[in-house]
Amino acid sequence: MKYSFENLEVWQKSRALVKNIYQITRDFPNEEKFGLTSQLRRAAVSISSNIAEGSTRWSKKDQARFYEIAFGSLIEVLNQLILAADLQLINVDSLQKTRIEIDSIGRMLNSLYQSTRKTKPISSPAELTEA
């Protein structure tokens, strides 16, 4: 069984962002293992997790809240990447490439959030899955 969120392009792109963040942080110094490395990874994972969880909510208000949380985590990732560049843990090119991904995901999350304000609520759990 495949759940509907798996078809969302924004969820797929957020998964790609997680992989990118893991690759970027792999080169961080060991003293950042429980600092910026952990924070970046957790925030990145939170994006796709909240998109998935939000898509299962029956009320549009609940869905919107999870998409807001995902957007907040996205901005947290951006902030932490800027700090990593300030600390010379990543180069400016890496920051700019990742920022393009973040901007794209942000636009998609905004559209997803806006869609919760225009459509009818989910009427049954069957709408959450595809055959």
Side-chain angles (χ1 to χ4, degrees), residues 27-94:
D27 296 330
F28 281 15
N30 280 339
E31 64 263 18
E32 285 300 329
K33 182 177 182 180
F34 299 108
L36 209 45
T37 300
S38 176
Q39 285 292 108
L40 262 166
R41 289 178 175 187
R42 288 169 47 117
V45 168
S46 176
I47 300 163
S48 61
S49 297
N50 279 292
I51 292 168
E53 189 167 354
S55 74
T56 68
R57 297 300 170 144
W58 287 27
S59 82
K60 293 298 180 180
K61 183 178 179 181
D62 282 348
Q63 288 177 348
R65 182 68 188 127
F66 279 91
Y67 301 149
E68 288 174 350
I69 294 167
F71 188 81
S73 294
L74 182 69
I75 298 306
E76 184 178 349
V77 167
L78 175 58
N79 174 66
Q80 292 166 357
L81 288 171
I82 292 168
L83 293 173
D86 290 347
L87 296 168
Q88 299 179 336
L89 299 174
I90 63 172
N91 62 43
V92 177
D93 288 342
S94 182

Side-chain angles (χ1 to χ4, degrees), residues 73-124:
S73 294
L74 182 69
I75 298 306
E76 184 178 349
V77 167
L78 175 58
N79 174 66
Q80 292 166 357
L81 288 171
I82 292 168
L83 293 173
D86 290 347
L87 296 168
Q88 299 179 336
L89 299 174
I90 63 172
N91 62 43
V92 177
D93 288 342
S94 182
L95 173 61
Q96 292 304 339
K97 283 183 197 175
T98 309
R99 189 176 196 130
I100 291 168
E101 280 184 272
I102 289 169
D103 290 346
S104 175
I105 293 167
R107 284 190 299 277
M108 290 179 179
L109 273 173
N110 185 49
S111 294
L112 191 57
Y113 174 80
Q114 293 302 324
S115 75
T116 64
R117 308 180 85 55
K118 298 176 184 173
T119 58
K120 66 180 179 73
I122 296 170
S123 59
S124 75

Side-chain angles (χ1 to χ4, degrees), residues 1-7 55-56 58 122 124-131:
M1 171 171 45
K2 190 172 188 178
Y3 290 89
S4 62
F5 72 85
E6 294 174 275
N7 294 318
S55 74
T56 68
W58 287 27
I122 296 170
S124 75
E127 291 183 33
L128 301 176
T129 62
E130 290 187 357

